[in-house]
Amino acid sequence: GTCSHYLMMMKTYSVSCHCGRIQAKFRREQHLPLTVWDCNCSDCAMRRNLHFMVRMSDFWLVEGADAAITAEQDSNNNMPISVEQKNEQETILYQWGTKMAVRRFCRTCGILPFYIPRSNQDGYALTFPCVDWGEDGPPKTEIRSFDGVNWEQSHAATGIAEETAKAN
């Protein structure tokens, strides 16, 4: 069926911060070209952020390497904690402006490997250099500019929101 064909075309990749404490996996159709966004908003411009979008359903957190707090045990109360809770404890939330984007930087190395962007609330933006593309390397990539200084106009003109919209 269509669903099994979809999954056969998909490949799973890893994304992480520099120290490896914050990690996730995502899947995408490996043969499709990748659109990487170069945004000039004040935050992205300072970080030289190159990012691409994935649907929430194609993204999941995984246990980080050498985590100070493991997902199995929280030393404060010896209760099991989820990978999501561990991710919140290992990161620092930074929001500004509209506070629509959810950026959680690693507390140890300061890197932001992925976040929920203002432009695509139904997905994640993954920091392109934080991805392990494996032996084959990254897919064919097109870098497109996003004018974050004039956010509303650029959001409408680029079609960026369609990258994570549900397929009909």
Side-chain angles (χ1 to χ4, degrees):
T2 307
C3 185
S4 62
H5 175 73
Y6 171 75
L7 290 175
M8 287 185 347
M9 305 300 288
M10 302 296 275
K11 186 170 178 182
T12 300
Y13 301 94
S14 298
V15 59
S16 72
C17 64
H18 188 260
C19 71
R21 287 188 173 177
I22 307 305
Q23 294 190 24
K25 293 193 181 288
F26 68 97
R27 63 180 171 236
R28 69 177 305 275
E29 291 191 51
Q30 61 186 12
H31 67 284
L32 290 181
L34 182 66
T35 300
V36 175
W37 296 94
D38 185 2
C39 178
N40 68 348
C41 79
S42 57
D43 179 65
C44 288
M46 280 188 168
R47 293 186 292 109
R48 265 320 265 135
N49 184 29
L50 293 173
H51 58 280
F52 62 96
M53 306 302 172
V54 297
R55 290 185 181 101
M56 278 197 180
S57 59
D58 290 329
F59 177 93
W60 60 98
L61 292 169
V62 295
E63 184 72 31
D66 300 320
I69 303 156
T70 66
E72 291 82 42
Q73 183 177 9
D74 177 351
S75 61
N76 293 333
N77 59 20
N78 291 326
M79 296 298 290
I81 63 170
S82 69
V83 116
E84 291 79 13
Q85 289 169 313
K86 187 221 107 181
N87 183 65
E88 283 190 19
Q89 292 176 3
E90 294 278 0
T91 59
I92 296 172
L93 176 65
Y94 176 65
Q95 292 182 294
W96 61 278
T98 64
K99 297 192 178 0
M100 295 280 295
V102 179
R103 296 177 189 85
R104 301 196 71 92
F105 291 83
C106 177
R107 286 184 185 273
T108 302
C109 68
I111 298 296
L112 177 70
F114 49 83
Y115 60 101
I116 299 172
R118 177 182 174 196
S119 62
N120 296 66
Q121 293 282 289
D122 56 353
Y124 284 89
L126 278 58
T127 305
F128 184 71
C130 293
V131 175
D132 178 355
W133 294 104
E135 291 179 10
D136 297 334
K140 181 180 177 203
T141 302
E142 174 193 7
I143 297 179
R144 292 189 58 197
S145 293
F146 186 88
D147 184 5
V149 173
N150 299 293
W151 194 92
E152 287 78 8
Q153 295 91 327
S154 194
H155 188 258
T158 61
I160 194 171
E162 296 165 23
E163 292 196 4
T164 52
K166 298 274 187 259
N168 292 336

